Amino acid sequence: MNYKEAKAYINKISKYGSVLGLKSITTLLKTLNNPHKELKVVHIAGTNGKGSTVEFLKNIFMEAGYKAGTYCSPAVFDEDEIIQINGKNIGQEDLADIITLIKDKSDMILETYGFHPTCFEIETAMAFEYFRRKQCDIVFVECGMGGKSDATNVFEEVLCSVITGISLDHTAFLGDNLEEIAEIKAGIIKKHCPVVAAKQNEKVLQVIKNTAVQKEAPLIKAGVAQINIQDGKNHITYPAVNGKTYEADIQMLGTYQAMNVAAAVETALCLQKRGYKIEQFIEKGLSKAKWKGRMEIISDNPLFIIDGAHNPGAVSELRDSIEFYFTNKRITFIMGVLADKDFEQEAAIIAHRAENIITVTPDNARAFDGRKLAEILSRYNRNTKYAQSITEAVTSGKDDVRKGKTDMIIAFGTLSHLKDIKQAVKAGRRD
């Protein structure tokens, strides 16, 4: 297959949906001679903060001269961005070649065993095979959903497990309370392999502690960094468990980065003990990190920010970030959500902080009707209206600023519509 044919095949197999469990992925990996067993892996689980933590770590390792692979999903701006080495997407020829191989193996599995690997399992296997071929020095693998039964959880041992912030999300699959979700996330902890836990709810931390004890895994509890605005710069300070304080001006906005920076620093120090010479590159790596779609400024005039907040925990963090960075700003929100999210709770958390709210229906099969979302939000903020398209929403938000009704725009609610919003803002600048 060529690249176009390989992408068409990936889209076609998306019909198999998402299935938790390791039978299918382990079968597929075995037919590929188990590429994951040749990788040096840091495995990351959590509800929020996984991508940012990986971004900090990737840049630390890049600054130190290592070849760092990253596997993070879902894709937001480019379908191939989920698999990268040193920040560059998997090449089209590599993708086509590996998918051709995987298709043959998947067809054989279907014929022999009667089941077919899912799209996520195939992408996971592709990532592991790609990293093996390119001989990465280290690979950062982000769980797709959950942990214990996630398709990425196939490693017998890892350099380090990392558990970022845990909150309610995917409750239909993971459980409807924090302890149940934490137990599933903690399923990535491996026997005798160190685990770094971001600052957590005490009940959540206890679940992680219990699992670490059962697995005889050394537990490193990260603290929280301090963020200050100094000379217009986003300055972060973190006193690590090694007794040294790390400081950097970071490009990634968001008060929640205080937890992610701490988790990244402690993970880096853990990996230093595993033989990587990176401690002296921590501060520079933190300063170089960028993460698209997380408190990302996509326009200065008007000030327009997009954020991937898509569950109550992330929306709470967005609200706190607004209070920290934009205390006295009048804001227009653009909000679109997926139907399987707790948008009622999200509305209660953040709707009051907006001057105006514009709702949209994201271009996603799981989208929640923007009209119905407007009805819900209007209970908390009567200045809410529905826009029939992303372009209409962006135009309306800009009009609010132009007419002096608000000072800025923030779009959030689901990762799946951030690309469309960014394109609409870009198109509007050309008009």
Side-chain angles (χ1 to χ4, degrees):
M1 289 187 287
N2 59 30
Y3 175 76
K4 184 176 181 180
E5 291 167 337
K7 296 297 292 185
Y9 169 72
I10 292 173
N11 291 331
K12 179 182 177 182
I13 59 173
S14 62
K15 68 181 181 182
Y16 291 100
S18 178
V19 179
L20 291 176
L22 302 178
K23 178 181 177 181
S24 180
I25 183 64
T26 53
T27 302
L28 176 57
L29 289 170
K30 188 175 181 180
T31 68
L32 298 169
N33 296 319
N34 294 315
H36 61 296
K37 292 185 178 182
E38 298 180 35
L39 304 178
K40 296 178 180 179
V41 171
V42 175
H43 200 192
I44 302 99
T47 310
N48 301 309
K50 298 188 296 295
S52 295
T53 302
V54 168
E55 183 67 15
F56 286 125
L57 286 166
K58 178 195 75 179
N59 279 274
I60 290 169
F61 274 80
M62 285 173 60
E63 288 301 314
Y66 291 102
K67 182 186 288 188
T70 55
Y71 178 49
C72 302
S73 62
V76 179
F77 300 105
D78 185 319
E79 289 181 348
D80 296 340
E81 71 188 15
I82 61 173
I83 301 172
Q84 296 185 342
I85 294 177
N86 284 358
K88 294 183 179 180
N89 294 358
I90 181 173
Q92 293 187 0
E93 289 186 8
D94 288 307
L95 186 149
D97 184 52
I98 296 173
I99 286 297
T100 300
L101 173 64
I102 289 177
K103 179 184 183 303
D104 290 342
K105 303 299 184 183
S106 298
D107 290 344
M108 182 271 290
I109 290 171
L110 179 60
E111 183 177 344
T112 306
Y113 302 105
F115 59 84
H116 194 289
T118 66
C119 183
F120 183 63
E121 290 166 340
I122 284 174
E123 289 176 334
T124 299
M126 174 170 60
F128 296 162
E129 176 65 16
Y130 179 61
F131 298 143
R132 173 171 68 174
R133 292 184 181 188
K134 299 300 181 181
Q135 298 182 312
C136 289
D137 297 310
I138 191 167
V139 173
F140 299 98
V141 176
E142 179 185 307
C143 284
M145 180 173 68
K148 186 175 183 179
S149 299
D150 187 78
T152 63
N153 196 30
V154 293
F155 307 103
E156 294 177 3
E157 62 178 305
V158 293
L159 292 170
C160 180
S161 300
V162 183
I163 301 178
T164 62
I166 293 175
S167 62
L168 293 175
D169 200 6
H170 301 296
T171 52
F173 295 95
L174 306 181
D176 56 8
N177 65 69
L178 289 177
E179 291 92 331
E180 289 179 2
I181 294 175
E183 186 171 352
I184 291 173
K185 304 286 187 185
I188 70 166
I189 298 174
K190 301 293 181 288
K191 195 170 183 66
H192 302 305
C193 298
V195 54
V196 173
K199 185 74 174 178
Q200 305 282 353
N201 171 290
E202 277 303 316
K203 291 182 178 179
V204 167
L205 185 59
Q206 190 59 53
V207 172
I208 297 171
K209 283 181 180 178
N210 292 343
T211 305
V213 169
Q214 291 168 10
K215 298 291 182 68
E216 300 177 68
L219 175 62
I220 302 159
K221 294 184 288 184
V224 179
Q226 180 70 40
I227 300 178
N228 294 291
I229 305 300
Q230 296 183 0
D231 299 323
K233 295 181 179 179
N234 195 33
H235 190 76
I236 198 155
T237 305
Y238 178 62
V241 293
N242 68 347
K244 179 177 177 180
T245 296
Y246 296 85
E247 296 188 54
D249 292 328
I250 63 172
Q251 302 179 59
M252 295 161 63
L253 298 178
T255 54
Y256 48 84
Q257 298 301 357
M259 287 176 54
N260 299 332
V261 163
V265 171
E266 297 297 356
T267 302
L269 293 173
C270 175
L271 295 169
Q272 171 82 14
K273 294 178 181 178
R274 303 302 298 267
Y276 292 95
K277 306 301 181 184
I278 55 172
E279 196 275 336
Q280 63 180 307
F281 300 98
I282 288 176
E283 292 174 325
K284 191 171 183 181
L286 294 176
S287 70
K288 290 288 188 71
K290 296 179 181 179
W291 191 230
K292 294 180 181 179
R294 274 63 168 188
M295 287 294 286
E296 180 186 3
I297 298 173
I298 60 173
S299 170
D300 293 313
N301 186 24
L303 181 57
F304 200 128
I305 290 174
I306 55 175
D307 188 72
H310 62 283
N311 55 52
V315 168
S316 294
E317 291 169 347
L318 174 60
R319 177 201 59 203
D320 293 344
S321 296
I322 289 171
E323 295 298 339
F324 182 79
Y325 293 102
F326 309 112
T327 308
N328 299 314
K329 297 292 185 181
R330 299 167 300 162
I331 306 171
T332 292
F333 286 165
I334 297 177
M335 190 172 177
V337 301
L338 301 186
D340 58 354
K341 301 298 180 180
D342 191 352
F343 39 80
E344 180 89 40
Q345 186 178 350
E346 292 173 17
I349 290 168
I350 204 168
H352 70 281
R353 190 56 185 83
E355 192 75 18
N356 298 317
I357 304 177
I358 305 166
T359 66
V360 296
T361 304
D363 183 14
N364 188 297
R366 294 158 49 209
F368 185 65
D369 189 333
R371 295 178 185 84
K372 295 180 181 178
L373 179 62
E375 293 175 7
I376 293 169
L377 286 164
S378 64
R379 300 174 199 160
Y380 303 90
N381 188 324
R382 60 185 179 182
N383 296 326
T384 301
K385 64 181 180 180
Y386 168 70
Q388 295 185 2
S389 68
I390 295 291
T391 299
E392 180 183 325
V394 168
T395 300
S396 182
K398 288 182 175 180
D399 285 344
D400 284 348
V401 177
R402 181 174 55 83
K403 294 176 181 178
K405 296 179 180 179
T406 59
D407 303 307
M408 61 182 294
I409 307 158
I410 299 179
F412 66 99
T414 174
L415 289 165
S416 64
H417 73 339
L418 297 187
K419 179 179 179 180
D420 293 334
I421 290 172
K422 203 169 187 177
Q423 288 177 337
V425 171
K426 185 177 181 180
R429 287 199 294 263
R430 293 195 300 262
D431 293 343

